[in-house]
Amino acid sequence: MANLVTSLCCVVLAAVVVVYAQKRTQLAGREQYQEIGRDVTMQCGKLENNTTVSWKVNGTDVMAQHRLEGPRLILSKVNLHHNGRYSCFEEPAGEKRDYISLYVGLPPSKPIVNCRSNNYPKSFYCSWHVLETHIPTFFEVDVQHNQQTLDVNRDPVHKNRCRVEFPEVFSTSPYKVNVTAFNALGKAFTTHSFEEFSIVKPDPPEGVTAKPIRSNPRRLEVSWRSPSTWPDIESFPLKYFLRYRPVIQEQWQHVELSDSTSHIITDALAGKEYVIQVAAKDTEIGTWSDWSVPFHATPWIDDPLPITPTTEVDTPTETRTSPIPSSNAPQKAEPPVGRAARVFTFFSPLLLGMLLLFI
């Protein structure tokens, strides 16, 4: 009897485990990808065709215009707005049965590949890009030379870049770089072939400066340094290309130099601000670098002559001003009368009387 009870318990426990495992499997969720502009069908777990289900996307009821066929949800001509987590519920109990994370995007386009050596003859790097896919896209890179596969060092920061060491110098055999782009919706590849000399391109010169030359209003002394990424300037010298123009003009003047890292401009316009840039190139192979960062400078401007003060002392002229009459202004005082005049005025009647008596 005890054995029978034990056996029944084991059977029940096993059934519970199976049901629990099935339920976990149904709710494990999955990812589904679809191309922009196409229809997508999502199946609610393994439910039968006659099962009635409801759907939510990101917790919100799915809009009525989408088609429901039993346990399936059909979205027409999907776009990026359809991205989200879709959950389905079995009716009438409303029990959650499955969820799907939908990602809408594009298969990759053919990669566009560019290769360049800025530290010749040590190595070269290749970079590539594809059109936006809106979903995770990955790349595989293979480099061949003289029927040998070269080691590829992927950039730890930029996933679309790698560096390869030159196996030899002055090789005439072409290099082949194969880049394959792939994602959940497809893949595409490109083969880029080149010869060693064609990809040599230094970085721009560094530390470009220019300063005026004392008492020379039409000269500027320009200097710079070779790019720090160029490893062996003695064995692989660089030549330079200088351009300059006044800020107020658009036309550049150019000077090509051998291996010198300085130059004196002798035809600058006096008193005008100049913008100056320099490019670099291997003396024998490759192409010119990009232009350096613009540097601004102005030729020598003489100090203005000091103003010499005059030695004559001008006698200031007294200026009298007459007030403008006004009804509110005080009346102008009469000039004072002299003392003698006042005495004469006082005694004049008395003197006149005495004179008349004598007559």
Side-chain angles (χ1 to χ4, degrees):
M1 183 67 180
N3 292 336
L4 179 60
V5 173
T6 303
S7 299
L8 289 175
C9 290
C10 291
V11 170
V12 172
L13 181 60
V16 171
V17 170
V18 169
V19 171
Y20 178 77
Q22 289 178 344
K23 192 169 184 179
R24 286 291 304 272
T25 301
Q26 289 178 334
L27 297 180
R30 62 188 185 277
E31 295 179 346
Q32 188 166 336
Y33 294 84
Q34 187 56 274
E35 186 174 350
I36 294 175
R38 295 184 177 274
D39 297 347
V40 59
T41 300
M42 289 179 281
Q43 169 73 34
C44 183
K46 297 182 180 180
L47 297 180
E48 300 294 333
N49 290 337
N50 58 356
T51 305
T52 302
V53 300
S54 60
W55 290 83
K56 292 181 182 292
V57 54
N58 299 327
T60 304
D61 291 337
V62 173
M63 291 182 293
Q65 65 263 33
H66 298 305
R67 291 166 51 193
L68 291 174
E69 294 182 358
R72 290 177 292 276
L73 172 66
I74 302 174
L75 306 179
S76 301
K77 297 181 179 179
V78 292
N79 55 46
L80 297 179
H81 295 294
H82 290 96
N83 285 327
R85 178 168 170 166
Y86 291 77
S87 304
C88 60
F89 304 84
E90 184 178 2
E91 301 298 344
E95 183 178 359
K96 187 175 181 178
R97 288 298 189 182
D98 198 7
Y99 69 86
I100 302 167
S101 296
L102 177 64
Y103 300 97
V104 179
L106 294 168
S109 59
K110 292 183 63 174
I112 298 176
V113 182
N114 291 291
C115 296
R116 173 190 165 202
S117 175
N118 64 338
N119 63 348
Y120 187 80
K122 292 180 63 177
S123 64
F124 65 90
Y125 69 85
C126 295
S127 59
W128 54 89
H129 68 274
V130 296
L131 298 179
E132 178 62 58
T133 62
H134 306 288
I135 59 175
T137 300
F138 308 93
F139 301 93
E140 291 180 349
V141 184
D142 174 71
V143 181
Q144 301 284 332
H145 179 256
N146 275 342
Q147 300 180 349
Q148 293 183 353
T149 301
L150 304 182
D151 291 334
V152 176
N153 299 310
R154 297 292 294 271
D155 193 302
V157 178
H158 305 284
K159 70 174 184 176
N160 294 14
R161 181 167 170 162
C162 70
R163 185 168 288 276
V164 181
E165 293 186 0
F166 281 112
E168 56 183 302
V169 182
F170 307 128
S171 172
T172 57
S173 299
Y175 289 80
K176 291 184 179 181
V177 178
N178 303 301
V179 178
T180 302
F182 62 94
N183 60 24
L185 297 176
K187 66 178 182 179
F189 73 94
T190 295
T191 298
H192 179 58
S193 299
F194 59 86
E195 294 183 346
E196 175 183 313
F197 68 87
S198 66
I199 64 168
V200 176
K201 180 181 178 181
D203 288 330
E206 302 171 359
V208 177
T209 60
K211 59 183 181 180
I213 299 176
R214 186 176 183 83
S215 301
N216 285 273
R218 300 200 63 190
R219 296 193 174 198
L220 283 169
E221 184 178 359
V222 186
S223 61
W224 59 89
R225 301 188 307 271
S226 60
S228 58
T229 50
W230 197 253
D232 191 352
I233 193 69
E234 298 297 330
S235 301
F236 297 89
L238 297 175
K239 60 182 179 179
Y240 302 96
F241 205 59
L242 169 69
R243 72 175 185 178
Y244 57 96
R245 64 174 174 84
V247 172
I248 61 174
Q249 296 181 2
E250 296 184 356
Q251 185 175 359
W252 293 93
Q253 294 170 272
H254 301 86
V255 179
E256 185 171 340
L257 307 167
S258 56
D259 58 352
S260 174
T261 56
S262 64
H263 179 73
I264 295 179
I265 296 173
T266 60
D267 57 352
L269 298 179
K272 301 300 181 183
E273 180 184 358
Y274 271 74
V275 58
I276 300 164
Q277 291 179 289
V278 185
K281 179 186 175 299
D282 183 275
T283 54
E284 296 182 3
I285 61 175
T287 58
W288 287 99
S289 73
D290 295 332
W291 291 106
S292 63
V293 176
F295 188 87
H296 291 250
T298 303
W300 179 266
I301 299 177
D302 290 329
D303 295 331
L305 295 175
I307 299 176
T308 304
T310 180
T311 57
E312 295 183 6
V313 178
D314 296 332
T315 302
T317 303
E318 183 178 357
T319 303
R320 297 179 181 271
T321 58
S322 300
I324 300 175
S326 172
S327 59
N328 296 327
Q331 295 298 317
K332 183 177 179 181
E334 293 294 333
V337 180
R339 181 179 295 177
R342 288 198 300 268
V343 172
F344 178 79
T345 303
F346 178 79
F347 286 103
S348 58
L350 180 59
L351 294 174
L352 182 59
M354 292 177 66
L355 180 62
L356 291 175
L357 288 177
F358 283 107
I359 296 176

